[in-house]
């Protein structure tokens, strides 16, 4: 009943049939407000649930950000997996053999941002790749650049949040999910896997997957998964979805089912094949086609559902409410200690939280109808410096 | 395609018909990624728009807050209007003649909170009434307690936001909309109306209405509305929806239509009558029944649609993004000036923003399945002190 455009008709009384008038002779019917378990009994339709549509329209207008990181040694199909997830070439690599770069001598962080639009919903997707991870003779501390990058994004967000004059919507470059590719050894987690996940799961949502699962037999896969789950438990590594953050029994039931199947044994593919007259994404082998989107063939659909179709918003919420808040608390406590106020190093005269050096708040109506732009590839060699943050200016949220 | 529970079948190749195999002999089909205006071309369904459902589910689980204030001299039907809007006795008054309190000698602020649930969506509604406003012989500064109350809510929110350890969801007591009742004089806005709206429209969304519009003829109503619009323009009073905050041409077109009809000429009623065999909310007079929800009779449906069905989320957004941000900027700037740091008066040793005196963050899963409680009536005599803020503890968001 949207009646924002009523016809301007007479306010004179409508023709009321005599019968109705008669019935009313006894007087108006008082409202019956029965007490009940609900705070307030309604005596008619109000329209509160219209807020859901209002929120939907808003999200469709503004779009949203989603940032994902892929970590694992080279050759585990990270780029192909990301391309398969988002059905587009969102990875830094072309995925064509022969065009790959040489393995870098240190861990490099490379981010690429695309705008993906589907059914009117715009997602600004940033995929951060970590070439060089686990590829060296000595891989000690190879997680450091990754931890540094993740914390830098929290720092950025924090510095925007504490500005006096701040943006209407703070640009969000925080990593919402870190997909960790376990090599399909069929044995146990390696010390590097354990070290990495132990450290990273404290600051980011880690989603481990068994890469290139087509190299494992069904039995090997089941056993490997079992061992990994034991390893994670033994080392108290809490991967996503973390038990601690289940919100209600319903969430818990759903997430328990997911946790049983973690890590997903996945196969990626960005080639299409003809199967039963249909085109499907898959890997063609001498013994048949492995259909990656067929849940009878591999667990890629589980990963896709988790990251995109069922838990995308939750990944963002946990990042904001848990990981970012932890960083913020720690940072403000540090800053509070005398002689240890690194946030004071920001430009501006007052204490760090009162810095007013940001550009004027963008006008709300200027953020609309910007052209959709082609992908921007950002390579930030380490040490990652705030100076390179200028790559964000092409899209001001 | 939610496939979180795939059957664990063989990963061996499915039976592929020979024909399909033949067709594939020439090799896999490379993905065609055509360049276009969209940042990224998709070669299949990803499921991005599932985020809309995820957000919807989240809102339905957590509910939302909505705070409304009614201002206007006594006898203009403020309580009845609020009851009519929310189809329940959400106003502080019983709406039964004879049970009303005497007019207070100063402006009193009285808030009452209810939980309204409709189609699974829970709204925590707080209605703040302002008895005594405009009822005195000398009404000078009678807007001060109202401004004070509104700013106190911003202050509260700010103090929660700047805590080091803060709540997962900051309780929102900020006034999202202030409905101002203009008496149906048929003349011009009175100096009190102008003074009030001029001051209040700078800090809150003001929605003026012509109260008890059934006392005006159609011609009187149209003329009065015209004069009020002129008055508002002359005095540069920007009532809700403010032209400055339209986000895009679509918003502008819709809001322009609303602005043409502001202030809505409304009639409230919380009595049901029989009209054409149907029960309708209305006021029965000797010359007929004024159906308040009939847009041919009065503009109550416009007010209801604006406040609830089309702009509720926008009222909250403008409050958060514009009014609260303005308060915050002003407050932090004040606090930055030497010798003028009222926020430093908070308990705690460090600067104001590092206060860590709040209770531990409530566990996420403890916020669920709380019983729905009966309404809580809060009367806060002025000066409104933070001590009385304990009335919020019955519902920890």
């Amino acid at each position: 009943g949207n009646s924002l455009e009523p016809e301007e008709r007479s306010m004179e009384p409508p023709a009321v049939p005599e019968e109705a008038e008669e019935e009313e002779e006894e007087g108006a019917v008082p409202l019956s407000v029965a007490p009940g378990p609900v705070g307030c009994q309604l005596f008619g339709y109000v329209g509160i649930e219209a807020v859901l549509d209002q929120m939907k329209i808003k999200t469709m207008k503004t779009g949203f950000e989603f940032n994902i990181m892929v970590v694992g040694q080279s050759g585990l199909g990270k780029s192909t997996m990301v391309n398969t997830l988002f059905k587009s070439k969102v990875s830094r690599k072309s995925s064509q053999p022969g065009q790959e770069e040489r393995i870098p001598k240190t861990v490099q962080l490379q981010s690429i941002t695309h705008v993906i639009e589907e059914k009117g919903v715009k997602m600004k997707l940033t995929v951060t790749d970590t070439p060089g991870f686990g590829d060296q003779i000595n891989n000690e501390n190879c997680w450091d650049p990754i931890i540094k990058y993740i914390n830098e994004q929290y720092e950025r967000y924090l510095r925007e949040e504490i500005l006096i004059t701040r943006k209407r919507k703070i640009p969000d470059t925080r990593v919402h999910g870190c997909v960790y590719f376990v090599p399909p050894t069929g044995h146990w987690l390696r010390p590097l896997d354990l070290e990495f996940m132990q450290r990273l799961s404290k600051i980011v949502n880690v989603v481990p997957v068994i890469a290139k699962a087509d190299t494992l037999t069904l039995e090997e896969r089941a056993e490997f998964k079992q061992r990994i789950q034991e390893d994670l438990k033994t080392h108290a590594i809490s991967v996503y979805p973390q038990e601690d953050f289940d919100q209600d029994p319903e969430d818990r039931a759903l997430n328990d089912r997911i946790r049983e199947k973690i890590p997903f044994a996945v196969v990626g593919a960005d080639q299409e094949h003809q199967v039963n007259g249909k085109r499907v994404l898959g890997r063609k082998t001498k013994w048949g086609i492995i259909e990656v989107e067929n849940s009878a063939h591999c667990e890629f659909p589980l990963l896709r559902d988790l990251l995109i179709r069922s838990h995308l918003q939750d990944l963002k919420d946990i990042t904001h409410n848990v990981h970012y808040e932890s960083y913020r608390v720690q940072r403000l406590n540090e800053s509070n200690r005398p002689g240890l106020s690194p946030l004071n190093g920001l430009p501006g005269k007052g204490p760090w939280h009162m810095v007013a050096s940001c550009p004027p708040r963008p006008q709300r109506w200027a953020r609309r109808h910007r052209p959709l732009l082609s992908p921007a590839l950002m390579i930030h060699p380490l040490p990652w410096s705030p100076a390179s943050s200028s790559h964000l200016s092409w899209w001001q949220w």
Side-chain angles (χ1 to χ4, degrees), chain A:
Chain A
N2 187 331
S3 48
L4 278 167
E5 278 198 325
E7 297 148 51
E8 289 282 342
R9 275 185 280 155
S10 165
M11 251 184 80
E12 280 164 28
V16 177
E18 282 302 309
E19 301 79 53
E21 283 271 36
E22 288 296 319
E23 277 181 47
E24 275 301 298
E25 217 48 68
E26 290 299 299
V29 183
L31 295 168
S32 60
V33 180
V38 173
C40 215
Q41 212 75 29
L42 307 183
F43 54 85
Y45 175 70
V46 180
I48 295 167
E49 97 288 351
V51 80
L52 298 177
D53 274 329
Q54 294 170 36
M55 292 171 77
K56 181 178 163 179
I57 290 165
K58 199 191 153 202
T59 303
M60 294 190 69
K61 276 192 180 179
T62 56
F64 66 96
E65 291 147 315
F66 187 53
N67 308 316
I68 205 163
M69 182 184 254
V70 289
V71 182
Q73 63 191 56
S74 61
L76 290 179
K78 299 190 292 298
S79 298
T80 304
M81 180 54 63
V82 171
N83 289 340
T84 315
L85 275 171
F86 298 103
K87 302 272 174 62
S88 46
K89 299 206 167 169
V90 290
S91 149
R92 89 200 142 89
K93 288 189 196 166
S94 64
S95 301
Q96 300 295 326
Q99 292 183 26
E100 291 188 23
E101 309 111 35
R102 298 281 299 259
I103 292 169
K105 293 212 173 77
T106 54
V107 177
Q108 302 271 322
L109 287 172
Q110 300 182 345
S111 296
I112 180 162
T113 299
H114 281 83
V115 177
I116 292 185
E117 183 168 352
E118 198 173 48
K119 298 195 181 175
V121 183
K122 277 186 283 293
M123 173 169 80
K124 188 186 164 202
L125 172 71
T126 298
V127 176
T128 302
D129 200 352
T130 55
F133 177 90
D135 291 332
Q136 314 303 322
I137 294 173
N138 179 350
N139 287 302
E140 256 169 37
N141 304 322
C142 73
W143 45 81
D144 279 351
I146 294 168
I147 291 173
K148 190 175 185 323
Y149 175 83
I150 290 169
N151 283 332
E152 285 274 3
Q153 310 318 308
Y154 293 142
E155 181 76 14
R156 265 185 175 189
Y157 196 92
L158 179 59
R159 285 181 186 236
E160 288 284 347
E161 194 185 55
I162 62 182
L163 286 173
I164 289 188
T165 308
R166 54 188 177 182
K167 296 190 181 76
R168 182 72 51 96
K169 187 178 185 312
I170 299 175
D172 189 3
T173 60
R174 298 169 299 183
V175 177
H176 301 122
C178 172
V179 183
Y180 184 73
F181 289 72
V182 176
T185 60
H187 303 298
W188 296 83
L189 286 176
R190 304 163 307 163
L192 177 59
D193 302 327
L194 288 168
E195 275 289 341
F196 180 84
M197 287 196 276
Q198 203 149 39
R199 287 160 196 268
L200 270 287
S201 62
K202 292 193 178 78
I203 62 165
V204 73
N205 295 316
V206 174
V207 179
V209 296
I210 299 171
K212 297 201 158 174
D214 47 346
T215 64
L216 298 170
T217 67
L218 277 181
E219 291 73 28
E220 285 167 347
R221 195 177 89 172
E223 272 178 42
F224 191 32
K225 192 179 273 204
Q226 181 67 33
R227 289 203 194 109
I228 292 174
Q229 286 177 356
E230 280 170 34
D231 265 349
L232 292 175
K233 209 170 176 180
T234 309
H235 292 83
I237 297 169
S238 181
V239 298
Y240 184 84
Q242 304 90 340
E243 266 183 80
D244 284 352
F245 309 145
D246 289 339
Q247 291 203 55
D248 55 32
E250 202 186 308
D251 269 13
R252 172 144 300 182
L254 172 66
N255 289 344
D256 276 346
R257 272 160 49 207
I258 294 168
R259 283 187 281 266
E260 274 170 28
K261 293 185 186 299
I262 270 182
F264 301 138
V266 296
V267 176
D270 45 15
Q271 303 271 312
E272 285 185 327
H273 300 274
Q274 199 86 17
V275 174
N276 296 331
K278 275 188 179 174
R279 308 200 76 75
V280 298
L281 279 176
R283 292 176 63 76
K284 192 183 176 193
T285 66
K286 276 288 174 202
W287 51 92
I289 292 171
I290 303 156
E291 300 167 33
V292 300
E293 299 196 275
N294 183 339
S295 56
H297 288 205
C298 80
E299 296 179 331
F300 169 80
L302 295 187
L303 180 65
R304 180 202 56 204
D305 286 354
L306 182 74
L307 293 180
I308 304 172
R309 299 188 190 172
S310 67
H311 283 61
L312 192 153
Q313 188 58 41
D314 188 61
L315 282 160
K316 290 179 57 129
D317 288 344
I318 300 279
T319 301
H320 183 74
N321 294 328
V322 180
H323 298 305
Y324 169 67
E325 276 299 311
S326 300
Y327 178 86
R328 182 180 162 277
V329 168
Q330 184 198 321
R331 199 73 182 83
L332 296 188
N333 278 326
E334 265 174 26
S335 181
N336 208 10
R337 252 180 281 151
L340 235 181
S341 305
L343 277 168
N344 278 330
L346 279 175
K349 284 169 193 169
W352 59 267
H353 64 282
M354 291 157 189
V355 175
S357 63
C358 77
R361 190 139 46 114
Q363 297 297 307
R364 217 174 163 196
W365 48 96
R367 288 185 296 118
R368 311 271 152 242
H369 298 290
R370 53 192 167 243
L372 288 163
L373 292 151
S374 48
L377 177 68
M378 293 102 58
I379 299 184
H380 14 89
L382 288 160
W384 188 85
S385 71
S388 67
S389 72
S390 60
H391 68 251
L392 264 181
S393 59
W394 69 272
W395 175 308
Q396 290 293 352
W397 282 76

